[in-house]
Amino acid sequence: MTQTLTILGLESSCDDTAAAVVRQTTGEAAEILSSVVVGQVDLHASFGGVVPEIAARAHAEKIDLCVEQALQKAALTLADIDAIAVTSGPGLIGGVLSGVMCAKGLSAGSGKPLIGVNHLAGHALTPRLTDGAAFPYLMLLVSGGHCQFLIAKGVDDFTRLGGTIDDAPGEAFDKTAKLLGLPQPGGPAVEAEARNGDAKRFPLPRPLLDRPGCDMSFSGLKTALLRTRDKLVAEHGGLRQQDRADLCASFQTAVSDVLAEKTRRALALYQELNPAQPTLAVAGGVAANQQLRAVLETVCAENNVTFTAPPLALCTDNAAMIAWAGLEQFRAGHRDDLTLSARPRWPLDQTSPAMLGSGKKGAKA
Amino acid sequence: MAKGQAERLFPLLEEVLAKAGKTWGDLTAIGVGTGPGNFTGIRISVSAARGLALSLGIPAVGVSSFEALAINHPRPILSLIDARREQVFAQELTANGAHDPFMATKDTLPDMPTIGPFDTVDPVAIARITATRFDDPGLPRPAPLYVRAPDAAPPRDPAPVILP
């Protein structure tokens, strides 16, 4: 049956407040009618990281404005919308709550159905929004808050092959920038600096490469970088620009090496499924890193797997991916009611065991 | 309630409407308590009110706990809300406005008539105050009234000196 669906999406799980409208007719390519993202980089800059309470305060006063703008840009009203999709976890709970409560208000007042979407499903289903990727595909989600390999088998069916047991790579990039006196967000700053650096100069560790499986760790790498920096500062009375560039290059190459090797292992597991169109998709802000992209493309070429990366605006946090995931799940019959909960922890894969470092309450994501 | 407000709020609102024999479409405006109080709690209600205002096409009006508490009292008055940790949130309400709210311990308050400290507010007071103000065209959207600054400290370790 052909059906055109128009879905409003809301996202507020970290430090971006976003709303978007996505439309799709069965069997056709999806269309992003609008996508509004309001960031908070300035609010958190002086703290060297996202402060949950500051983020929550901003979301509560911005989310409805983003919705208004998204509807306006799409030249639609709520009456034209088929359902309202909202990130209901995992993430910083204060922000998630603001999004969920605003969405409930929109749903109650308009009578439109409500769909709670897993933030990670938003990222993981984006390759279908942008490229119409066919299940099953392998997903590497690599951002400031997350790092995991998922096999996407269906709109609600994901298998986690492994992930970070401590920091996410994006967080490691931010901390590296902070330790080296570079501006936030750290990813682009470290990458720019690394272009003038010698990646072989400092032997930084490649954590967990000596262990089987797809789990990763980036916390020790950050500590090794700090030790090396301290040694250089003690030696020279400060950090010389060339040393900084070499540190950035060495760090970025260590991250790329780890992700490349773990991707090889994840691809081997994925290819056991004999996918018709073998595909690796990346998402998350770190997927914007050119060196990382280049090594992942090489790994894919070696394995005859198609590499796909959504445009940057759809790699980082946005609400179009939430509207899209909501659209796919709405088609699959998924609905929530006004008792929908906001969840700080919500692993996409509910069956794989929680990873090391997840704490007593089990897997976070 | 300490937990479950996000899940409970909308079913509760629908029960209240049903008891009054009304539906969402019958509402002229939505009043919402903006605190001060539990940060998460006031964000839950403010976000919900703003979402409802948008979908119903009616104004949402923020009413502080200070005003709601003092609704039936002559002004000037110092309105007090329990802030835990031996402290209170305080705001002096004047005949035609209010001074900036602040935090204080109970023994350092200015010498004037007070009400409170309480930690709950009557929603009927919020609705009554809303009725007096919803048609003001310059009305700002409701925003949480935190009074307490966010608990965040700048990083302790400074960036290294960069040499040429």
mmCIF file of all heavy atoms in Angstrom, chain B residues 3 11 21 27 32 37 48-49 51 54 59 62 76 96 113 127 132 137 142 156:
data_model
loop_
_atom_site.group_PDB
_atom_site.id
_atom_site.type_symbol
_atom_site.label_atom_id
_atom_site.label_comp_id
_atom_site.label_asym_id
_atom_site.label_seq_id
_atom_site.Cartn_x
_atom_site.Cartn_y
_atom_site.Cartn_z
ATOM 1 N N LYS B 3 9.593 10.990 41.955
ATOM 2 C CA LYS B 3 9.906 10.287 40.704
ATOM 3 C C LYS B 3 8.627 10.077 39.913
ATOM 4 O O LYS B 3 7.541 9.975 40.474
ATOM 5 C CB LYS B 3 10.522 8.920 41.023
ATOM 6 C CG LYS B 3 12.030 8.937 41.043
ATOM 7 C CD LYS B 3 12.579 7.528 41.037
ATOM 8 C CE LYS B 3 13.951 7.498 40.403
ATOM 9 N NZ LYS B 3 14.598 6.212 40.570
ATOM 10 N N PRO B 11 -1.436 12.177 32.021
ATOM 11 C CA PRO B 11 -2.639 11.499 32.512
ATOM 12 C C PRO B 11 -3.359 12.328 33.585
ATOM 13 O O PRO B 11 -4.592 12.417 33.583
ATOM 14 C CB PRO B 11 -2.097 10.189 33.092
ATOM 15 C CG PRO B 11 -0.843 9.929 32.313
ATOM 16 C CD PRO B 11 -0.265 11.293 32.028
ATOM 17 N N GLY B 21 -15.247 18.393 33.069
ATOM 18 C CA GLY B 21 -16.115 18.237 31.904
ATOM 19 C C GLY B 21 -15.618 19.017 30.689
ATOM 20 O O GLY B 21 -16.397 19.462 29.860
ATOM 21 N N LEU B 27 -9.724 25.077 26.362
ATOM 22 C CA LEU B 27 -8.839 25.941 27.159
ATOM 23 C C LEU B 27 -8.568 27.267 26.449
ATOM 24 O O LEU B 27 -8.422 27.314 25.227
ATOM 25 C CB LEU B 27 -7.507 25.224 27.430
ATOM 26 C CG LEU B 27 -7.599 23.945 28.259
ATOM 27 C CD1 LEU B 27 -6.223 23.278 28.373
ATOM 28 C CD2 LEU B 27 -8.168 24.243 29.649
ATOM 29 N N VAL B 32 1.443 27.859 34.115
ATOM 30 C CA VAL B 32 2.413 26.864 34.595
ATOM 31 C C VAL B 32 3.270 27.466 35.696
ATOM 32 O O VAL B 32 3.707 28.615 35.596
ATOM 33 C CB VAL B 32 3.282 26.319 33.425
ATOM 34 C CG1 VAL B 32 4.033 27.433 32.713
ATOM 35 C CG2 VAL B 32 4.255 25.251 33.915
ATOM 36 N N GLY B 37 12.159 25.708 42.554
ATOM 37 C CA GLY B 37 11.940 24.400 43.143
ATOM 38 C C GLY B 37 12.871 23.413 42.506
ATOM 39 O O GLY B 37 13.934 23.791 42.022
ATOM 40 N N ALA B 48 6.268 21.051 28.993
ATOM 41 C CA ALA B 48 4.941 20.535 28.636
ATOM 42 C C ALA B 48 4.002 21.687 28.281
ATOM 43 O O ALA B 48 3.267 21.634 27.289
ATOM 44 C CB ALA B 48 4.366 19.716 29.793
ATOM 45 N N ALA B 49 4.029 22.747 29.089
ATOM 46 C CA ALA B 49 3.133 23.888 28.857
ATOM 47 C C ALA B 49 3.458 24.558 27.528
ATOM 48 O O ALA B 49 2.548 24.956 26.785
ATOM 49 C CB ALA B 49 3.258 24.892 30.005
ATOM 50 N N GLY B 51 4.831 23.154 24.898
ATOM 51 C CA GLY B 51 4.385 22.250 23.835
ATOM 52 C C GLY B 51 2.884 22.337 23.638
ATOM 53 O O GLY B 51 2.384 22.410 22.504
ATOM 54 N N LEU B 54 1.811 25.599 21.948
ATOM 55 C CA LEU B 54 2.091 25.567 20.511
ATOM 56 C C LEU B 54 1.028 24.755 19.767
ATOM 57 O O LEU B 54 0.519 25.171 18.722
ATOM 58 C CB LEU B 54 3.490 24.980 20.298
ATOM 59 C CG LEU B 54 4.068 24.963 18.889
ATOM 60 C CD1 LEU B 54 3.979 26.345 18.267
ATOM 61 C CD2 LEU B 54 5.518 24.500 18.938
ATOM 62 N N PRO B 59 -2.048 30.985 24.592
ATOM 63 C CA PRO B 59 -0.854 31.393 25.344
ATOM 64 C C PRO B 59 -0.547 30.484 26.537
ATOM 65 O O PRO B 59 -1.461 29.915 27.127
ATOM 66 C CB PRO B 59 -1.204 32.808 25.834
ATOM 67 C CG PRO B 59 -2.654 32.988 25.626
ATOM 68 C CD PRO B 59 -3.151 31.942 24.684
ATOM 69 N N GLY B 62 3.706 31.849 32.527
ATOM 70 C CA GLY B 62 4.531 31.398 33.645
ATOM 71 C C GLY B 62 4.144 32.144 34.915
ATOM 72 O O GLY B 62 4.042 33.366 34.910
ATOM 73 N N PRO B 76 3.405 45.259 50.337
ATOM 74 C CA PRO B 76 4.547 44.383 50.057
ATOM 75 C C PRO B 76 4.604 43.178 51.000
ATOM 76 O O PRO B 76 4.195 43.263 52.154
ATOM 77 C CB PRO B 76 5.748 45.297 50.275
ATOM 78 C CG PRO B 76 5.270 46.345 51.231
ATOM 79 C CD PRO B 76 3.816 46.543 50.947
ATOM 80 N N ASN B 96 3.212 46.894 42.760
ATOM 81 C CA ASN B 96 3.038 46.752 41.310
ATOM 82 C C ASN B 96 4.183 45.999 40.631
ATOM 83 O O ASN B 96 4.464 46.199 39.462
ATOM 84 C CB ASN B 96 2.832 48.128 40.657
ATOM 85 C CG ASN B 96 3.764 49.159 41.271
ATOM 86 O OD1 ASN B 96 4.776 48.786 41.880
ATOM 87 N ND2 ASN B 96 3.435 50.437 41.127
ATOM 88 N N PRO B 113 6.811 41.707 56.556
ATOM 89 C CA PRO B 113 5.846 40.596 56.579
ATOM 90 C C PRO B 113 6.257 39.500 55.600
ATOM 91 O O PRO B 113 6.699 39.798 54.483
ATOM 92 C CB PRO B 113 4.532 41.242 56.148
ATOM 93 C CG PRO B 113 4.722 42.710 56.263
ATOM 94 C CD PRO B 113 6.181 42.980 56.174
ATOM 95 N N ALA B 127 -3.656 29.097 38.217
ATOM 96 C CA ALA B 127 -4.710 29.308 37.219
ATOM 97 C C ALA B 127 -5.348 30.687 37.376
ATOM 98 O O ALA B 127 -5.608 31.391 36.394
ATOM 99 C CB ALA B 127 -5.764 28.210 37.341
ATOM 100 N N THR B 132 -5.560 36.487 34.906
ATOM 101 C CA THR B 132 -5.430 37.950 34.927
ATOM 102 C C THR B 132 -4.405 38.448 33.905
ATOM 103 O O THR B 132 -4.239 39.643 33.725
ATOM 104 C CB THR B 132 -4.963 38.450 36.310
ATOM 105 O OG1 THR B 132 -3.641 37.946 36.545
ATOM 106 C CG2 THR B 132 -5.898 37.974 37.415
ATOM 107 N N PRO B 137 -0.336 41.070 25.294
ATOM 108 C CA PRO B 137 0.340 40.685 24.056
ATOM 109 C C PRO B 137 1.866 40.584 24.211
ATOM 110 O O PRO B 137 2.525 39.885 23.441
ATOM 111 C CB PRO B 137 -0.042 41.793 23.070
ATOM 112 C CG PRO B 137 -0.499 42.942 23.909
ATOM 113 C CD PRO B 137 -1.011 42.368 25.204
ATOM 114 N N PRO B 142 6.769 31.084 29.145
ATOM 115 C CA PRO B 142 7.188 30.690 30.492
ATOM 116 C C PRO B 142 8.609 30.140 30.476
ATOM 117 O O PRO B 142 8.998 29.438 29.536
ATOM 118 C CB PRO B 142 6.191 29.585 30.887
ATOM 119 C CG PRO B 142 5.366 29.302 29.697
ATOM 120 C CD PRO B 142 5.602 30.345 28.664
ATOM 121 N N ARG B 156 40.028 22.846 36.328
ATOM 122 C CA ARG B 156 41.071 23.243 37.282
ATOM 123 C C ARG B 156 42.433 23.401 36.617
ATOM 124 O O ARG B 156 43.181 24.302 36.932
ATOM 125 C CB ARG B 156 41.174 22.213 38.413
ATOM 126 C CG ARG B 156 40.138 22.394 39.505
ATOM 127 C CD ARG B 156 39.988 21.101 40.286
ATOM 128 N NE ARG B 156 39.436 20.050 39.434
ATOM 129 C CZ ARG B 156 39.494 18.756 39.707
ATOM 130 N NH1 ARG B 156 40.114 18.342 40.774
ATOM 131 N NH2 ARG B 156 38.949 17.881 38.905
#
